[in-house]
Amino acid sequence: MADIAARSALLDYFVRGGSWMWALLICSVIALAVIIYKIANLYLAGRGAQALVEDVAQLVEAGATEEASHRLTGSSAAVAAVLRSVIGATEHPGETPLEAAQAAGAAEMATLEAGLPVLATIANVAPLIGFLGTVSGMIRAFTAIAHAGLGEPGVVAAGIGEALITTASGLIIAIPCFIAYSVFVARVNGLALGMELAGTRVAKLMGRAMRGEA
């Protein structure tokens, strides 16, 4: 019974919020989808990265580049793509291992940052939609006052209720989006730093191997 009452109350608030609540609902659905996607995406991008880098660096240093390449096969870590490019640089005479690392890192960054602009946009737009609903509700309230006068508080309250509900809804959507965006950006930056350090490390080892140094 409590669940039914809660759903009924939420539906009542949604209806009282007016037509702008549909726009906020769309924003919330998109934001939730992006958040779930980024959680999974960034988890897979960082899974086992540190152990992978250590294993590959040891194999490359020992001259076992084929084994190193095999070790990277099937890994979901973002750094794996960078290291594959570094090891494969020997097959492209015009490209150094360090250049290969930089190019692969840039490509991986584009993948890691996918969805973040959408989340940032929703975090900024949702409060604006809420404020737009506020203006709409206040217009409705003052229009009711003009037609019915102050003797009909229920009519005026409907417009004020619409204004407050849309404002609150916009903020309820925006705040989690801002938090999620900040967390994701920090995670992406951490992965980017890890890719840069790992790519540079293995590229130097590959460079030594290509020059025949010990």
Side-chain angles (χ1 to χ4, degrees):
M1 292 296 293
D3 291 340
I4 295 175
R7 286 196 295 268
S8 178
L10 287 174
L11 181 60
D12 179 59
Y13 275 116
F14 185 87
V15 172
R16 287 169 57 193
S19 59
W20 291 109
M21 292 295 289
W22 288 103
L24 291 172
L25 177 63
I26 293 172
C27 287
S28 65
V29 170
I30 294 174
L32 181 61
V34 171
I35 289 171
I36 293 173
Y37 164 71
K38 292 309 297 181
I39 289 173
N41 174 246
L42 295 178
Y43 168 74
L44 293 174
R47 186 176 60 177
Q50 186 173 356
L52 181 68
V53 172
E54 292 299 326
D55 290 347
V56 170
Q58 291 175 7
L59 290 170
V60 170
E61 191 172 15
T65 55
E66 290 187 9
E67 288 83 351
S69 181
H70 181 72
R71 175 69 176 83
L72 294 167
T73 303
S75 175
S76 64
V79 72
V82 175
L83 299 183
R84 274 195 296 268
S85 296
V86 172
I87 294 173
T90 55
E91 301 175 2
H92 304 87
E95 186 178 41
T96 66
L98 187 57
E99 290 172 344
Q102 293 171 343
E108 285 301 308
M109 279 297 295
T111 301
L112 293 174
E113 292 175 344
L116 294 183
V118 175
L119 200 58
T121 299
I122 292 175
N124 285 288
V125 168
L128 297 180
I129 295 175
F131 293 145
L132 189 57
T134 299
V135 174
S136 175
M138 295 307 295
I139 291 174
R140 178 180 173 186
F142 283 113
T143 301
I145 291 174
H147 285 85
L150 295 175
E152 297 289 340
V155 178
V156 177
I160 296 176
E162 176 183 333
L164 296 177
I165 289 170
T166 52
T167 301
S169 299
L171 294 175
I172 288 171
I173 294 169
I175 291 171
C177 287
F178 271 122
I179 294 172
Y181 176 80
S182 299
V183 172
F184 292 151
V185 167
R187 179 59 174 160
V188 168
N189 290 338
L191 291 171
L193 179 60
M195 287 191 296
E196 182 180 355
L197 294 175
T200 302
R201 177 183 176 184
V202 176
K204 288 180 179 179
L205 293 174
M206 286 293 299
R208 290 177 185 174
M210 292 168 66
R211 292 192 300 270
E213 298 178 5

